[in-house]
Amino acid sequence: MEGSVQEEQTNYQEVRALRVRIAELEKMQQEQNLALHQEKEVRKALETRLHTVLNERDCLIEELTEAQDNINALLDANQRMDEFLGIASHELRTPLTTINGNIQLAKRRLKAFRLDDTREDFANKVDVIREMLERAERQVRVQNRLVGDLLDISRIQANRLELHFQEGDLITIIKEAVEDQRAAWPKRLIVLDNFSCTQEILIEADPDRIGQVITNYLTNALKYSAPETGVNVAISSTAQEVKVAVQDAGPGISAEEQAQLWQRFYRVPGISVQNGSGVGLGLGLHICRTIIERHGGRVGVDSIQGEGSTFWFTLPFIA
Ligand code: ADP
């Protein structure tokens, strides 16, 4: 009896000890659960933070790339501006030197006229003098274009390019520009494609400025291609707009360069003037684009390197 009481007591103590142990284990389990939960929370917070940091890093990299691109664009523009200033000051002086030189020579030749010159001598001397004056005249045209481009570009920059809109015939404007270029380049062939069937195309535009765009396309086509090649001018239309295209058989322009051509001061590396005098300032096409866009039209170029280029513009019809 005494034995079983003792046994019971021992059991009771063991049960108590077990309960205490279980309670301890439960507490430990709870603490572990809590720690696990906290760890999960911390991990979640860390993951969120990491995500944010990674996003911020991506944004910073993007901003940095953008800033770098801007710096590169500015450096490019600066370099083009420096080149432009160098070329402009040289190009503005060159025609004057040639004009002055030819006038001096012509004056000297005039002094050499003698009363007893034969008719033939006289005619020869006059021819030489005419050639000198024509050379001077060509340089006046070059100078005029350079100064005109510089004035236009400063007007565009100041948002002060004035257009005088009036209703007029595009065919007449094109023909006049072509005639001027035929006179300036008598040895070159300039063909007006499919013009015979087109009588009149009425547009609301500044005729002088549209003539300037066609002249710029034509002079580029003539000066950047070989002297034995011709230039083609074509016109086509849809219900909404008319398109004028000037095609040459010059060096052609890569797709990458085509996108940049219309920027101020841009000249395609490796493309040099084949005919006529003076290098370009890289302003003409930018001026053309501004003029055409101010008329509500578009400009563009289709070109394959080595095969030539077609520069075109569109103008909307009067609504
Ligand atoms: P520029 O006075 O230098 O001719 P533009 O703005 O008219 O100025 O032309 C920009 C550049 O585009 C030229 O310097 C030349 O490199 C290139 N370009 C223009 N027209 C042609 C063309 N028809 N064929 C090949 N390159 C051309």
Side-chain angles (χ1 to χ4, degrees), residues 18-75:
L18 269 173
R19 282 218 180 106
V20 170
R21 185 74 192 123
I22 287 170
E24 274 172 9
L25 282 173
E26 274 174 357
K27 201 174 165 210
M28 266 170 67
Q29 172 103 45
Q30 267 174 7
E31 278 169 3
Q32 257 180 13
N33 281 348
L34 188 69
L36 254 168
H37 181 72
Q38 280 172 346
E39 197 187 303
K40 257 192 201 163
E41 289 294 306
V42 168
R43 184 182 296 205
K44 227 161 108 190
L46 277 176
E47 273 173 5
T48 315
R49 181 80 196 114
L50 186 69
H51 197 69
T52 317
V53 168
L54 285 177
N55 270 348
E56 278 170 8
R57 191 200 60 172
D58 286 351
C59 284
L60 279 175
I61 289 176
E62 221 169 88
E63 277 171 26
L64 193 71
T65 317
E66 217 171 277
Q68 193 61 52
D69 286 351
N70 285 344
I71 290 172
N72 288 345
L74 278 175
L75 286 174

Side-chain angles (χ1 to χ4, degrees), residues 87 219-226 248-258 261 266-275 278-282 285 301 303-309 311:
I87 296 167
T219 46
N220 278 354
L222 291 161
K223 77 180 182 190
Y224 291 115
S225 56
D248 64 57
I253 303 150
S254 70
E256 202 186 304
E257 302 287 2
Q258 285 173 34
L261 278 178
Y266 194 81
R267 292 172 306 126
V268 181
I271 290 187
S272 53
V273 176
Q274 307 272 321
N275 301 282
V279 299
L281 296 180
L285 290 179
V301 56
S303 182
I304 299 175
Q305 258 186 313
E307 290 186 22
S309 313
F311 280 83

Side-chain angles (χ1 to χ4, degrees), residues 166-174 194-195 197-205 210 234-238 240-244 315-318:
Q166 62 191 69
E167 195 180 299
D169 172 30
L170 180 61
I171 299 287
T172 309
I173 301 172
I174 297 174
N194 67 12
F195 271 62
C197 48
T198 322
Q199 302 237 310
E200 207 178 45
I201 294 183
L202 286 184
I203 49 163
E204 180 81 21
I210 297 301
I235 196 160
S236 57
S237 57
T238 64
Q240 290 81 32
E241 61 182 17
V242 57
K243 181 174 181 180
V244 179
L315 287 174
F317 281 126
I318 305 170

Side-chain angles (χ1 to χ4, degrees), residues 3-142:
S4 74
V5 171
Q6 213 169 5
E7 213 172 280
E8 209 169 293
Q9 235 174 9
T10 316
N11 277 346
Y12 176 71
Q13 275 168 357
E14 275 176 8
V15 168
R16 262 191 71 184
L18 269 173
R19 282 218 180 106
V20 170
R21 185 74 192 123
I22 287 170
E24 274 172 9
L25 282 173
E26 274 174 357
K27 201 174 165 210
M28 266 170 67
Q29 172 103 45
Q30 267 174 7
E31 278 169 3
Q32 257 180 13
N33 281 348
L34 188 69
L36 254 168
H37 181 72
Q38 280 172 346
E39 197 187 303
K40 257 192 201 163
E41 289 294 306
V42 168
R43 184 182 296 205
K44 227 161 108 190
L46 277 176
E47 273 173 5
T48 315
R49 181 80 196 114
L50 186 69
H51 197 69
T52 317
V53 168
L54 285 177
N55 270 348
E56 278 170 8
R57 191 200 60 172
D58 286 351
C59 284
L60 279 175
I61 289 176
E62 221 169 88
E63 277 171 26
L64 193 71
T65 317
E66 217 171 277
Q68 193 61 52
D69 286 351
N70 285 344
I71 290 172
N72 288 345
L74 278 175
L75 286 174
D76 268 6
N78 244 352
Q79 194 188 334
R80 285 209 300 270
M81 179 60 122
D82 281 350
E83 277 173 25
F84 164 77
L85 287 175
I87 296 167
S89 51
H90 177 258
E91 288 304 302
L92 283 170
R93 241 176 269 135
T94 311
L96 291 180
T97 315
T98 317
I99 293 164
N100 194 31
N102 278 291
I103 290 175
Q104 297 307 322
L105 279 175
K107 270 169 73 182
R108 227 174 291 155
R109 290 286 172 145
L110 275 175
K111 272 195 198 144
F113 273 93
R114 293 159 53 111
L115 286 173
D116 56 349
D117 274 344
T118 63
R119 256 176 185 274
E120 205 188 336
D121 281 346
F122 182 80
N124 285 342
K125 283 179 181 171
V126 166
D127 273 351
V128 173
I129 291 172
R130 185 185 304 120
E131 247 174 58
M132 286 165 184
L133 293 179
E134 278 171 1
R135 229 173 285 149
E137 200 180 19
R138 275 197 296 276
Q139 292 304 314
V140 169
R141 272 202 299 269
V142 170

Side-chain angles (χ1 to χ4, degrees), residues 169-183:
D169 172 30
L170 180 61
I171 299 287
T172 309
I173 301 172
I174 297 174
K175 282 185 173 163
E176 278 173 11
V178 167
E179 279 319 314
D180 286 349
Q181 291 311 308
R182 280 180 177 153

